[in-house]
Amino acid sequence: MGVYESLGLTPVINASGAVTRLGGAPMPKTVLDAFQEAAGDWVPLDRLQAAACKMISQVTGTESGIVTAGSAAALTLGTAAIMARMDPGKMERLPQTDGFANEFVVAREHRNGYDHAVRAAGARFVEVGYNEITAGAGVRRVEAWEYEAAFTERTAGVFYVYLDNSAPPLEEVVKAAHRHELPVLVDAAGELPPRSNLMLASATGADLIAFSGGKAIRGPQSSGILCGRRDLIGSAALQMLDMDDHFELWEPPSTLFDADQLVGAPRHGIGRAMKVSKEEIVALTAALALFANGGYDDEIPAQLARLQSIADKLGQGDIEFQLHESPNGESSPILEVYVSDARNVTAVEVCRNLRKGTPPIYVSHGKLSQGILVVHPLCMTDAGADSLADRLLEELG
Ligand SMILES: *Cc1c(COP(=O)(O)O)cnc(C)c1O
């Protein structure tokens, strides 16, 4: 009996890709081996983070970086670092921010559910711009001057959510913020691949960037990366590490932070609730090495073949679909299946029926309102693809 069966669960066919709800991306054998080997020995975690820092800064072109408990944790830590800097008194008070700058200026159109992670550190958002395109009541998106107009002495920094079509361009927001000596924290959690985005901070001057480790990097699902300015990463690291040590025994790694800037060692910070294990740190660095060197690219043809086999069956059943090949040779190809109005089921019903079937199948649900089921091949086997094709024929044929 498998581990899930012994817990009374049936594994599902994941046709949604590296989504957290279903457990994230498949970890390659190299990564799992690194995880297992790391479990057999013990090292001081601050030094392990300093070693990871060296590697992260190399592949991201930044001064510094740490492994976090997911991208969301990276956002909380980045926010905490920007507000508290190297002041142990402020670190101690977070998320209570009375008496110091705690406002993050953010474009209204960048607001999303994940920004709870920024607010969790005690920050308050000040929104700028409108959502005129969505509202259908205007033609302009948010502009850089609007950020500058919102800066006051209560402003701690800027929060920016990066997509390849985010407005205004990140470089412009960075310039505006830096004119006022304010740092920019960027959520780029899901914006890998392309792996060129690893260089986002060095390319744009952004101060801190958060990436997920459990999506395309294919590290542990609960891992992430925060990279950028050394002083801010140092603060973030201090607020995450377990600090239960004597000041006179403590040997903080100087590559990660300047302990001589501290008046004393802080106690556990807000990030202590987001700790990362030695196994996760080691496995993330193994996965990052694979990802950064294009180690996953040669899986793209097999993913395409998997989707093509589903598409062939759909074609025989007269079901409409569109196959989108990888746009860059790094991202997975995608299959969109259309639930036309002529059928007497809706896309939501088909999605629900697939989940309730045996075995349960989870297709991506991002386009259901347009009558589209999206099939992502990353976490699927060839057998899973066959089952999905058969079930789609049953539901839509
Ligand atoms: C996935 C995602 C996150 C959260 O990342 P985790 O690594 O799961 O914590 C945050 N922001 C965006 C935009 C994401 O897509």
Side-chain angles (χ1 to χ4, degrees):
M1 192 162 41
V3 286
Y4 292 111
E5 287 82 356
S6 70
L7 291 168
L9 294 168
T10 309
V12 305
I13 293 172
N14 175 6
S16 298
V19 297
T20 296
R21 283 179 311 286
L22 296 174
M27 280 184 276
K29 184 171 184 305
T30 320
V31 175
L32 290 167
D33 287 348
F35 190 100
Q36 186 160 9
E37 190 183 332
D41 281 298
W42 284 259
V43 291
L45 279 223
D46 52 2
R47 291 193 210 158
L48 182 55
Q49 282 284 13
C53 167
K54 201 170 150 193
M55 193 228 163
I56 292 168
S57 48
Q58 264 165 18
V59 303
T60 60
T62 54
E63 291 174 0
S64 191
I66 46 172
V67 182
T68 62
S71 191
L75 295 178
T76 305
L77 286 168
T79 309
I82 287 171
M83 292 189 298
R85 305 295 173 111
M86 286 302 260
D87 181 336
K90 287 179 177 169
M91 290 179 186
E92 178 62 34
R93 273 144 68 195
L94 291 181
Q96 187 57 255
T97 53
D98 292 347
F100 56 97
N102 72 340
E103 290 181 358
F104 278 69
V105 177
V106 62
R108 191 167 268 120
E109 60 177 83
H110 289 206
R111 292 299 311 275
N112 69 87
Y114 291 111
D115 69 37
H116 204 142
V118 173
R119 290 177 279 133
R124 244 194 89 232
F125 280 130
V126 172
E127 294 183 357
V128 294
Y130 290 95
N131 227 335
E132 293 185 326
I133 310 284
T134 311
V139 296
R140 293 159 67 191
R141 297 183 65 184
V142 60
E143 294 167 6
W145 67 267
E146 294 179 284
Y147 288 78
E148 274 189 278
F151 295 154
T152 69
E153 73 283 356
R154 292 183 307 279
T155 308
V158 169
F159 178 59
Y160 186 99
V161 179
Y162 182 83
L163 298 173
D164 58 11
N165 64 349
S166 296
L170 178 53
E171 297 84 330
E172 283 182 25
V173 175
V174 167
K175 281 202 190 93
H178 287 184
R179 273 197 284 275
H180 302 260
E181 293 179 7
L182 292 168
V184 179
L185 169 67
V186 181
D187 179 357
E191 296 313 298
L192 301 171
R195 56 182 166 273
S196 55
N197 277 352
L198 284 171
M199 292 291 176
L200 203 56
S202 47
T204 62
D207 301 271
L208 287 175
I209 304 218
F211 294 114
S212 282
K215 292 178 180 168
I217 292 176
R218 294 173 58 179
Q221 155 63 182
S222 54
S223 69
I225 293 169
L226 181 68
C227 61
R229 243 168 69 183
R230 183 171 175 277
D231 60 326
L232 295 173
I233 294 293
S235 171
L238 264 180
Q239 296 184 74
M240 172 171 60
L241 288 165
D242 186 283
M243 295 301 294
D244 192 17
D245 200 358
H246 299 284
F247 199 37
E248 62 269 36
L249 289 178
W250 186 44
E251 288 182 3
S254 60
T255 45
L256 205 49
F257 43 76
D258 298 315
D260 53 10
Q261 282 187 21
L262 291 167
V263 294
R267 290 207 168 74
H268 300 315
I270 194 166
R272 179 61 179 75
M274 302 155 208
K275 70 179 180 183
V276 194
S277 73
K278 61 188 190 305
E279 296 85 357
E280 289 170 314
I281 297 171
V282 168
L284 185 278
T285 59
L288 184 59
L290 278 174
F291 175 79
N293 293 317
Y296 303 140
D297 293 358
D298 56 6
E299 293 180 22
I300 302 291
Q303 293 181 10
L304 184 63
R306 205 169 292 150
L307 294 184
Q308 189 64 58
S309 76
I310 300 172
D312 290 346
K313 285 197 187 174
L314 296 181
Q316 288 159 24
D318 237 4
I319 297 165
E320 281 181 80
F321 63 85
Q322 196 167 358
L323 185 53
H324 301 272
E325 293 198 20
S326 171
N328 48 21
E330 299 179 40
S331 311
S332 291
I334 294 292
L335 177 68
E336 292 187 338
V337 182
Y338 298 99
V339 182
S340 78
D341 294 339
R343 317 222 177 242
N344 51 12
V345 284
T346 65
V348 172
E349 283 164 346
V350 176
C351 191
R352 185 187 298 122
N353 292 343
L354 292 173
R355 290 185 188 190
K356 285 183 187 293
T358 313
I361 301 174
Y362 284 69
V363 294
S364 188
H365 54 18
K367 292 190 170 181
L368 292 181
S369 62
Q370 299 163 56
I372 301 173
L373 309 169
V374 180
V375 179
H376 195 295
L378 179 67
C379 306
M380 250 193 307
T381 59
D382 291 342
D386 284 344
S387 303
L388 172 56
D390 293 342
R391 288 288 293 117
L392 284 171
L393 285 173
E394 280 173 31
E395 290 293 326
L396 295 170

